[in-house]
Amino acid sequence: MLTIKLQNDEFCVTLQSHVLYNIIVMSISIKIKKGLDLKIAGAVSQGADSVEIKPEMVAIYPDDYYGITPKPEVKEGETVMAGAPLFHDKKYENVKVVSPVTGVVKAVERGERRKIIKFVVEPDGRAEVKHFDVKTDSAESIKNLLAESGLFAMIRQRPYGIVPKFDVQPRDIFITGFDSAPLAPDYQVLLSGKEKELEQGVKMLSALTSGKVYFSCRPGTFAIPGVEMVEIEGPHPASNASVMINHVAPVNKGETVWVLDAVTVARIGALALNGTPDFTATLALTGSEIKTPHYVKTVIGADLAGVLKNQISESESHKRIIAGNVLTGTAESMSGFIHYPYRQVTVIPEGDDVDEFMGWASIAPSKMSVSRSFPGHFLHRLFKPDARLNGGRRAMIMSGEYDSVMPMDILPEYLIKAILSRNIDQMEELGIYEIVPEDFALAEYVDTSKLELQKIVAEGIDYLRKELE
């Protein structure tokens, strides 16, 4: 074994190589110190039972596939097969997003200026899935297969965090093999029994880049032949692809890399092995308002009414239903649906019906806070936070708060100011090509100014993309 260790005050990087099944597997070990693990009640316990639920409706939101301009391929009332396209990208017509079930298109819901909000499909109970002609003899045939099956749309590119441009080859590909977000599911549960699919998916992705394929995970959890393993220790956002990219191979202007999670890689492998896409989704049903947190096996885009039936606590308090985690998820109602990347549903108190002494200024021990002025900061317990803002928005304070939870070599406060002023040169110099809105989720949480940092970053990236393209 060869080991090389590099260290500074913020993170430690160790390069290693070892032999796995007579194959040399390179690995990089990274230990980050900056970040924050939120102590929230409602995690799925190890060994919890998994429940299978068949949805009554499924929905696909084009906005979840940022970068695609959707053009419908179906109309209301039409029958669609699982794997058949619902819409395609207006610019790259072979890049499609497909139906996860066989059934009838119940609605193509539109908003202002005829913008498509979502496609709703009612399953008819048939298990039919479109079969694809699998050709893996060239990079072009693999890309076409992924584009037609809807899996290409589940990949993201950096810069911009969009669905990749079909005609651009990535410098490297980065795969995330764990999730450090609050109450996030265990990837070893999500990928249980999918070892062959995972290896086949990696093999296919390796043919799409002349560079390297990196796979991040917690130490000792995965060992995948054909990729460079990146073992990361430390608090959230350790699992964010941006952290791996920043520490291993940063993105410079003019370069493009691809990012996807290991669940999507397994879907790619399943398509190659079986000729049919896998649209099942294993969700972590979490949060303090869930009676018994557990895993649910369902379908991509399943309706929340079915997933949450008889699962929410019966207290009279208002509930906040989140498709995703508490930092980056989408607020939904019981009539809503699961959003991409289809891994987690969280339910917490809304907080709009709370009546407490001193309101948001209360320093009760039951309140979770990163501030040392709150007793709860020193308590080793799980908290039940609600969705209140707990304060008012005010001018940005240059306090270094963002830096304490940002384990990347960027200056977040200055980058936010550059975005707000629409200064493209400064945005580029301060690292906007390496980040996406989720990287500022923790900074948004600890921000005493209560700024909508993720929204600011998303608008800045959108502005930059339109100006430069």
Side-chain angles (χ1 to χ4, degrees), residues 72-143:
E73 293 203 15
V74 295
K75 297 180 181 179
E76 292 184 10
E78 288 186 1
T79 299
V80 64
M81 181 184 291
L86 294 174
F87 61 92
H88 64 260
D89 186 14
K90 189 174 182 180
K91 183 175 182 180
Y92 301 102
E93 294 187 1
N94 59 333
V95 176
K96 301 177 180 180
V97 176
V98 303
S99 173
V101 294
T102 296
V104 178
V105 179
K106 297 298 290 185
V108 180
E109 186 177 317
R110 294 179 182 267
E112 295 181 3
R113 302 179 69 178
R114 301 284 295 165
K115 176 184 177 181
I116 299 175
I117 305 300
K118 63 176 178 282
F119 292 80
V120 182
V121 181
E122 182 180 15
D124 59 13
R126 291 183 292 166
E128 295 180 4
V129 182
K130 182 179 179 180
H131 192 278
F132 291 86
D133 183 16
V134 177
K135 294 181 180 180
T136 60
D137 54 340
S138 67
E140 184 179 0
S141 61
I142 293 174
K143 284 179 71 175

Side-chain angles (χ1 to χ4, degrees), residues 196-222:
K196 291 182 179 179
E197 290 87 347
L198 198 56
E199 291 187 19
Q200 181 64 33
V202 165
K203 184 178 178 181
M204 293 181 67
L205 289 170
S206 298
L208 300 181
T209 177
S210 57
K212 295 182 178 181
V213 178
Y214 298 93
F215 189 106
S216 71
C217 64
R218 291 298 194 187
T221 53
F222 289 99

Side-chain angles (χ1 to χ4, degrees), residues 394-402 413 417 447-451:
R394 58 185 74 92
M396 185 175 178
I397 303 170
M398 299 292 285
S399 61
E401 289 175 314
Y402 305 167
E413 291 172 335
K417 285 196 169 187
D447 183 19
T448 54
S449 298
K450 308 297 182 182
L451 299 178

Side-chain angles (χ1 to χ4, degrees), residues 159-160 415 419 427-428 430-435 457 460-461 464:
Y160 310 132
L415 177 55
I419 292 172
M427 289 159 66
E428 291 177 337
L430 292 167
I432 196 168
Y433 292 123
E434 293 185 46
I435 56 99
V457 172
I461 290 174
L464 182 69

Side-chain angles (χ1 to χ4, degrees), residues 27-329:
S27 69
I28 302 172
S29 295
I30 299 173
K31 186 172 183 179
I32 64 173
K33 298 178 181 179
K34 292 184 175 181
L36 179 65
D37 287 328
L38 301 183
K39 298 181 287 185
I40 300 177
V44 178
S45 60
Q46 191 170 6
D49 293 334
S50 178
V51 178
E52 186 169 350
I53 294 177
K54 294 183 179 180
E56 294 184 3
M57 293 282 183
V58 301
I60 299 297
Y61 295 80
D63 279 355
D64 289 342
Y65 299 88
Y66 180 56
I68 283 183
T69 302
K71 190 169 184 179
E73 293 203 15
V74 295
K75 297 180 181 179
E76 292 184 10
E78 288 186 1
T79 299
V80 64
M81 181 184 291
L86 294 174
F87 61 92
H88 64 260
D89 186 14
K90 189 174 182 180
K91 183 175 182 180
Y92 301 102
E93 294 187 1
N94 59 333
V95 176
K96 301 177 180 180
V97 176
V98 303
S99 173
V101 294
T102 296
V104 178
V105 179
K106 297 298 290 185
V108 180
E109 186 177 317
R110 294 179 182 267
E112 295 181 3
R113 302 179 69 178
R114 301 284 295 165
K115 176 184 177 181
I116 299 175
I117 305 300
K118 63 176 178 282
F119 292 80
V120 182
V121 181
E122 182 180 15
D124 59 13
R126 291 183 292 166
E128 295 180 4
V129 182
K130 182 179 179 180
H131 192 278
F132 291 86
D133 183 16
V134 177
K135 294 181 180 180
T136 60
D137 54 340
S138 67
E140 184 179 0
S141 61
I142 293 174
K143 284 179 71 175
N144 285 328
L145 174 65
L146 298 182
E148 291 290 332
S149 64
L151 295 178
F152 189 83
M154 294 187 183
I155 303 172
R156 296 292 177 266
Q157 78 160 48
R158 300 290 170 81
Y160 310 132
I162 60 175
V163 174
K165 298 178 182 178
F166 188 78
D167 53 2
V168 176
Q169 184 187 50
R171 186 203 69 193
D172 298 305
I173 298 176
F174 295 85
I175 302 168
T176 55
F178 72 107
D179 193 344
S180 60
L183 310 179
D186 184 350
Y187 266 58
Q188 290 187 294
V189 174
L190 303 186
L191 297 169
S192 177
K194 297 183 179 181
E195 292 79 9
K196 291 182 179 179
E197 290 87 347
L198 198 56
E199 291 187 19
Q200 181 64 33
V202 165
K203 184 178 178 181
M204 293 181 67
L205 289 170
S206 298
L208 300 181
T209 177
S210 57
K212 295 182 178 181
V213 178
Y214 298 93
F215 189 106
S216 71
C217 64
R218 291 298 194 187
T221 53
F222 289 99
I224 312 296
V227 300
E228 189 152 334
M229 303 299 300
V230 182
E231 297 183 340
I232 304 179
E233 295 181 74
H236 186 64
S239 64
N240 285 12
S242 300
V243 174
M244 174 170 47
I245 294 171
N246 184 264
H247 290 167
V248 174
V251 179
N252 299 310
K253 185 176 181 179
E255 296 179 334
T256 298
V257 300
W258 287 0
V259 172
L260 67 163
D261 61 23
V263 177
T264 303
V265 176
R267 295 188 198 279
I268 293 172
L271 175 63
L273 294 173
N274 307 321
T276 55
D278 178 14
F279 297 115
T280 60
T282 301
L283 310 173
L285 202 56
T286 64
S288 60
E289 295 303 298
I290 294 294
K291 293 178 181 177
T292 305
H294 61 278
Y295 288 102
V296 171
K297 188 175 182 181
T298 185
V299 177
I300 284 174
D303 59 292
L304 289 171
V307 171
L308 295 174
K309 185 178 182 180
N310 299 324
Q311 300 300 324
I312 299 179
S313 66
E314 297 172 357
S315 63
E316 295 182 358
S317 63
H318 297 168
K319 311 293 192 297
R320 171 69 67 92
I321 299 172
I322 304 169
N325 64 67
V326 294
L327 293 175
T328 63

Side-chain angles (χ1 to χ4, degrees), residues 66 159-160 251-253 408-436 440 453 455-468:
Y66 180 56
Y160 310 132
V251 179
N252 299 310
K253 185 176 181 179
M408 300 165 63
D409 188 21
I410 64 173
L411 300 173
E413 291 172 335
Y414 292 97
L415 177 55
I416 290 295
K417 285 196 169 187
I419 292 172
L420 290 172
S421 63
R422 296 295 188 259
N423 189 322
I424 292 179
D425 290 338
Q426 284 191 7
M427 289 159 66
E428 291 177 337
E429 292 174 1
L430 292 167
I432 196 168
Y433 292 123
E434 293 185 46
I435 56 99
V436 289
F440 279 78
L453 299 180
K455 182 180 178 181
I456 291 171
V457 172
E459 291 174 349
I461 290 174
D462 193 47
Y463 172 79
L464 182 69
R465 186 163 69 96
K466 288 177 179 177
E467 288 294 312
L468 298 184

